[in-house]
Amino acid sequence: MNNVNPMKPSERMKIPRQESIEQDAVQRSRNFLEVSLGLDEARAMIESNRCLECKNPVCIEGCPVNIDIRSFIQLVMQKDYAGAVQKIREANSLPAICGRVCPQESQCEAVCTMGKKHPSVAIGKLERFVADYESAHNLFTLPIVKERFEEKVAIVGSGPSGLTCAAELAKMGYGVTLFEALHAVGGVLRYGIPEFRLPRTILDLEVERIKAIGVEIYTNFLVGRTATIDELFDEWKFSAVFLGTGAGTPTFMGIPGENLSGSYSANEFLTRVNLMKAYKFPDYDTPIKLGKHVAVIGGGNTAMDAVRTSRRLGADKAYLIYRRSREEMPARVEEVHHAEQEGIEFMFLTNPIRIIGDANNWVTGIECQKMELGEPDESGRRKPVPIKGSEFVVEVETVIEAIGQKPNPIIQSTTPGLDVSKRGTVVTNEELGTSREGIFAGGDLARGGATVILAMRDGKKAAQSIHQYLTTKREKKEEVKVAVA
Amino acid sequence: MHTIIAKEVLSPTITRYEIEAPFVARKRLPGNFVIIRLEETGERIPLTIVGSDIERGTITLIVQAIGKTTRALAMKKVGDSITDVAGPLGTPTPIEFHGAVACVGGGVGTAELYPISQALHKAGNIIHTVIGARSKDLIVLEKEMGEFSKDVFITTEDGSYGRKGLVTDQLRDLLESPLGISAVYAIGPLPMMKAVSNLTKKYGVKTLVSLNAIMVDGTGMCGGCRVTVDGKMKFACVDGPEFDGHHVDFDELIMRNRTYIDLEKVSNERCQHHADQVEGGVAR
């Protein structure tokens, strides 16, 4: 493990962390174009030289899919960008997406040695740079499929876990069919994450690449209804199934007034805007109604996406209401920072208790109470406790709840023998196998609400498990054949 | 792409379509619906499946042209296609034996009622049908419903056909009669289903209604179609679309369904403008 960069560590530490070029905050808060334009080549080069090329690269351990970060950054130092992205692809098939949406500050960059005394190396931005360089210079080459297996595998759901599992199995040489309930592929990357964080051209490109490897795609196909899992085995002759249907069912707080007009789940709000392009109404048919004052409830990335989208749709005041404090927010730090720049008003330690409506059942406000932090709860975070008599009303015409999602129950309820937890998630073992033979599951369907990268890790792991399962089965069949002969 | 195989105009605004959708045709049951999207810029709208032909791989839809999408659909010809058809969606209607059943259809709701009534008849129930509308030209499927119904009663608000009045006038007579109606299936506009439910409550007769809430995905993902049933939040797309009419909060749903009324008008006007241009020979 020789060093590529001749600079001394002390010299590298003097280099300031390179920041992305970003669209001006005022301007971007009114458009749907991508906020961050990433690093240009010069900045990427400088940033790569900040890497200490540690003998023990802990960043790799910090990455959920263990990308060989040290090696890929060394290739950047040598201007071998195609080699760098290839290095990433050994572990992660969607670098352009992960470079944009991964919470690096709590993963690779959190453990970066440079980060102990100085800002961490911008690993995520470098990942994005090489991925974008690859597509801008048409450097992508299709993987070579060495073997062909006769077994077919069905992938249910086309979000990050399904896309990854499909790509991995196709590369191994299996016939892969991907089923998607909506009319467009991508799952949460399509309906959930807004264009200003993940331009659709990036997603479309990944989908085209997956098709090019030979993955067959059925859209408008709701497994459980259009065909059940058992029918996929018995009639469609699939040998294994991967379930990656995510956590797409919205949860509501259960406070009065949630069914008023002007009250949305974040899922509905974001689906209307992202999937259906309601921001282009009436050129696109799907409408959206948004007041000049909008309150979004929640502290995660979905809440952040919803509140920033509200600004872009024209809200003068967009409030983010969260019952805990800033420190407990699960959202990516960068998104919180961007939201603040865009004029989002944060109301921490504030808990909504009632949505107020007028005679026509339209939202006119939201009543909240102030909270204070008490003892730590089961999650280890200090539990917010209401302050008596602190009730107040925020005048808004739109309320968007982004307090979490749970798995859609359709497959669980139409697949006999599939074990489901109390939270509605599919129960899996270490290998991501379920209680039913040949059925594997991963991503939010098994986790109940996590990140894109963890879903991708599951998709990859499930592909390996499916390969293992089918190989064992094939060998047994051969043994029987030999024994019979 | 889903090709329109056949098209039949049933009334000035109501049309029957036979559309290629082989996977849906194989699996659909009474009470199921599809979500369609006409084109890339289109919205997703739910439409109840009226029937299917597994051999031909087609489903039948009967649609009243009222909104932008349904009007644009009406302008399509045989051989034209629809970009997306997803389904079958929703929980199928529970088909049970009740004895004597009143099937009450309001306007184009009769088309949604048709496959359910047919299945109820097959399950051994005696079907008494009531079809109502504002006027004669909105009465559909009278003959088809008649094929398995013991009797078919027509009501129109303007008296242009059948009995002058509302479906509830006729239903009240049936409930009062010695026929022994033990269940009611009512599908039509929300105020009609509300009136039917209020009436049958007095007689203690179980009533199933089908709720046409605003939907985006139709798979339980957006929660836009949430309705209050027996004080609990339900999603019409997956928990329904059918619910016990005696427990549905109709007033809330009627209000919610007005959410986009002004924007629907904008869409509709654009559609009308386009239609005028086509008729006037401006657009090609």
Side-chain angles (χ1 to χ4, degrees):
Chain A
M1 293 222 294
N2 292 328
N3 279 3
V4 170
N5 187 351
M7 287 163 89
K8 283 187 205 144
S10 57
E11 289 172 325
R12 302 186 203 199
M13 285 179 195
K14 282 184 194 139
I15 308 171
R17 176 175 157 124
Q18 300 298 295
E19 293 304 331
S20 293
I21 303 155
E22 281 174 5
Q23 242 202 101
D24 169 71
V26 175
Q27 188 188 347
R28 74 175 189 243
S29 70
R30 298 295 174 191
N31 71 42
F32 281 85
L33 302 175
E34 192 171 17
V35 168
S36 169
L37 307 174
L39 300 175
D40 56 13
E41 191 179 348
R43 291 181 198 213
M45 190 49 80
I46 297 170
E47 186 61 28
S48 71
N49 284 323
R50 295 184 66 233
C51 177
L52 296 168
E53 299 175 81
C54 304
K55 290 275 177 294
N56 175 26
V58 282
C59 50
I60 301 179
E61 301 303 313
C63 170
V65 296
N66 306 124
I67 293 174
D68 187 348
I69 296 167
R70 184 181 189 271
S71 298
F72 109 71
I73 295 183
Q74 285 178 330
L75 287 160
V76 175
M77 291 172 190
Q78 297 166 80
K79 287 198 173 190
D80 181 1
Y81 308 128
V85 74
Q86 222 35 63
K87 185 51 77 183
I88 296 173
R89 277 186 194 284
E90 286 172 14
N92 175 350
S93 53
L94 304 170
I97 294 174
C98 289
R100 287 172 163 82
V101 304
C102 258
Q104 291 94 3
E105 74 272 6
S106 56
Q107 300 175 0
C108 53
E109 294 180 23
V111 293
C112 173
T113 312
M114 178 67 98
K116 286 182 184 155
K117 284 191 180 162
H118 304 276
S120 304
V121 174
I123 301 168
K125 292 184 169 73
L126 287 172
E127 178 183 30
R128 174 186 163 161
F129 165 74
V130 293
D132 288 356
Y133 188 93
E134 179 193 48
S135 37
H137 295 82
N138 264 324
L139 300 174
F140 178 78
T141 48
L142 279 180
I144 298 152
V145 181
K146 295 185 192 103
E147 283 181 279
R148 287 283 172 199
F149 299 108
E150 61 180 25
E151 293 94 346
K152 293 195 303 170
V153 183
I155 310 292
V156 185
S158 69
S161 73
L163 285 178
T164 307
C165 193
E168 293 294 325
L169 286 165
K171 278 191 270 182
M172 288 179 200
Y174 288 96
V176 179
T177 306
L178 185 60
F179 295 98
E180 167 55 48
L182 293 173
H183 59 259
V185 177
V188 72
L189 306 171
R190 178 76 62 181
Y191 73 77
I193 299 178
E195 300 216 25
F196 58 83
R197 278 216 291 141
L198 178 64
R200 291 306 176 258
T201 45
I202 305 241
L203 178 58
D204 292 341
L205 188 65
E206 293 301 344
V207 174
E208 284 314 309
R209 285 171 181 173
I210 276 185
K211 281 187 196 165
I213 317 175
V215 174
E216 181 184 30
I217 299 178
Y218 283 96
T219 51
N220 295 318
F221 200 111
L222 179 63
V223 173
R225 295 261 189 253
T226 315
T228 61
I229 296 287
D230 285 308
E231 286 164 343
L232 292 183
F233 281 116
D234 301 340
E235 295 172 23
W236 292 66
K237 306 293 177 202
F238 285 106
S239 303
V241 173
F242 172 72
L243 303 176
T245 51
T249 300
T251 51
F252 290 87
M253 298 185 75
I255 57 174
E258 285 176 321
N259 288 358
L260 294 166
S261 292
S263 157
Y264 288 100
S265 73
N267 262 20
E268 178 182 3
F269 178 72
L270 291 171
T271 300
R272 282 180 182 272
V273 178
N274 298 336
L275 177 71
M276 305 309 297
K277 303 209 185 319
Y279 65 95
K280 294 183 180 169
F281 180 89
D283 290 335
Y284 279 71
D285 293 342
T286 304
I288 187 108
K289 284 276 276 235
L290 199 82
K292 285 284 166 204
H293 310 91
V294 177
V296 174
I297 305 162
N301 286 319
T302 309
M304 229 45 76
D305 286 344
V307 77
R308 295 172 68 197
T309 298
S310 306
R311 276 291 276 167
R312 283 160 173 79
L313 288 171
D316 290 336
K317 289 266 183 196
Y319 305 102
L320 193 290
I321 300 178
Y322 184 50
R323 66 196 182 107
R324 300 179 193 255
S325 68
R326 177 186 292 265
E327 287 67 42
E328 285 91 13
M329 281 180 110
R332 284 179 84 210
V333 169
E334 188 179 8
E335 308 311 329
V336 178
H337 173 65
H338 281 156
E340 282 178 322
Q341 286 180 331
E342 288 163 17
I344 307 301
E345 292 176 42
F346 288 77
M347 300 173 79
F348 293 113
L349 291 167
T350 303
N351 190 42
I353 48 177
R354 178 169 73 102
I355 304 172
I356 306 159
D358 64 14
N360 294 318
N361 262 34
W362 268 96
V363 171
T364 55
I366 183 163
E367 187 177 352
C368 304
Q369 58 189 172
K370 295 300 282 178
M371 311 292 274
E372 58 190 350
L373 291 177
E375 294 300 308
D377 62 11
E378 61 274 13
S379 74
R381 298 180 296 181
R382 288 176 69 190
K383 194 181 171 179
V385 196
I387 301 172
K388 267 197 188 140
S390 65
E391 292 78 11
F392 65 104
V393 173
V394 188
E395 285 182 17
V396 291
E397 301 84 35
T398 307
V399 172
I400 301 166
E401 289 189 40
I403 57 154
Q405 288 90 240
K406 56 188 179 192
N408 190 311
I410 291 177
I411 289 177
Q412 294 88 307
S413 64
T414 54
T415 313
L418 188 68
D419 284 357
V420 179
S421 76
K422 273 187 196 149
R423 294 185 304 146
T425 53
V426 169
V427 180
T428 55
N429 59 24
E430 288 269 293
E431 279 71 48
L432 301 183
T434 66
S435 55
R436 282 273 311 263
E437 192 195 327
I439 303 179
F440 298 78
D444 281 2
L445 173 65
R447 296 173 177 274
T451 56
V452 168
I453 188 70
L454 287 173
M456 287 177 45
R457 180 169 81 179
D458 287 354
K460 194 177 166 189
K461 190 171 181 184
Q464 284 154 357
S465 298
I466 288 169
H467 177 51
Q468 187 63 49
Y469 164 73
L470 294 175
T471 307
T472 310
K473 231 177 141 182
R474 205 180 303 125
E475 284 166 359
K476 271 192 191 154
K477 222 161 113 187
E478 289 300 319
E479 277 170 30
V480 172
K481 265 189 201 164
V482 171
V484 170
Chain B
M1 281 297 193
H2 303 263
T3 310
I4 299 172
I5 301 296
K7 183 180 170 186
E8 184 191 350
V9 175
L10 303 181
S11 91
T13 56
I14 303 172
T15 309
R16 185 202 319 255
Y17 305 88
E18 196 182 341
I19 297 165
E20 249 178 14
F23 298 141
V24 184
R26 279 173 42 167
K27 290 284 290 181
R28 74 99 198 171
L29 290 167
N32 280 145
F33 64 94
V34 285
I35 289 270
I36 69 159
R37 193 177 69 126
L38 290 186
E39 56 198 346
E40 235 4 85
T41 56
E43 60 182 336
R44 294 168 65 98
I45 64 159
L47 295 170
T48 303
I49 306 167
V50 179
S52 65
D53 186 328
I54 298 173
E55 306 253 296
R56 282 159 68 94
T58 59
I59 56 167
T60 302
L61 304 176
I62 294 181
V63 186
Q64 183 172 18
I66 23 175
K68 150 101 206 254
T69 302
T70 50
R71 289 174 59 182
L73 176 63
M75 285 184 233
K76 288 196 178 281
K77 297 184 282 291
V78 171
D80 287 352
S81 55
I82 295 169
T83 304
D84 300 293
V85 177
L89 304 175
T91 303
T93 313
I95 303 296
E96 291 159 18
F97 178 75
H98 306 278
V101 175
C103 290
V104 186
V108 77
T110 311
E112 302 175 26
L113 187 66
Y114 173 73
I116 297 166
S117 314
Q118 207 176 21
L120 286 168
H121 173 253
K122 269 196 195 139
N125 293 288
I126 296 166
I127 311 293
H128 302 277
T129 295
V130 182
I131 304 175
R134 272 200 315 278
S135 61
K136 188 183 175 182
D137 63 350
L138 293 171
I139 299 286
V140 291
L141 300 189
E142 179 187 359
K143 190 173 122 278
E144 288 85 346
M145 291 291 282
E147 283 163 11
F148 50 76
S149 301
K150 184 97 164 72
D151 32 42
V152 178
F153 303 93
I154 307 286
T155 65
T156 51
E157 284 172 48
D158 62 2
S160 54
Y161 189 42
R163 175 175 176 171
K164 185 173 194 287
L166 301 169
V167 286
T168 39
D169 300 330
Q170 186 62 50
L171 181 61
R172 188 180 294 108
D173 291 354
L174 291 178
L175 292 167
E176 291 281 351
S177 77
L179 289 170
I181 304 284
S182 56
V184 173
Y185 286 71
I187 306 182
L190 287 170
M192 174 219 130
M193 290 192 283
K194 179 186 169 185
V196 166
S197 300
N198 284 343
L199 175 68
T200 57
K201 210 171 189 172
K202 286 181 206 146
Y203 291 87
V205 177
K206 195 183 164 183
T207 300
L208 220 62
V209 295
S210 179
L211 302 182
N212 52 337
I214 293 172
M215 292 182 192
V216 182
D217 62 291
T219 66
M221 205 188 87
C222 77
C225 64
R226 57 195 186 274
V227 292
T228 303
V229 182
D230 212 5
K232 294 189 189 76
M233 184 189 287
K234 297 281 178 189
F235 290 179
C237 68
V238 286
D239 299 320
E242 281 144 28
F243 295 98
D244 181 340
H246 296 164
H247 295 296
V248 171
D249 186 339
F250 283 102
D251 293 334
E252 179 188 85
L253 183 57
I254 288 169
M255 297 275 217
R256 262 186 82 74
N257 276 8
R258 286 191 196 138
T259 300
Y260 298 103
I261 208 156
D262 51 340
L263 296 178
E264 280 160 11
K265 216 176 134 204
V266 172
S267 252
N268 239 331
E269 276 163 10
R270 269 171 72 113
C271 186
Q272 182 59 48
H273 180 67
H274 176 71
D276 292 346
Q277 283 191 324
V278 171
E279 275 170 27
V282 178
R284 282 164 200 257

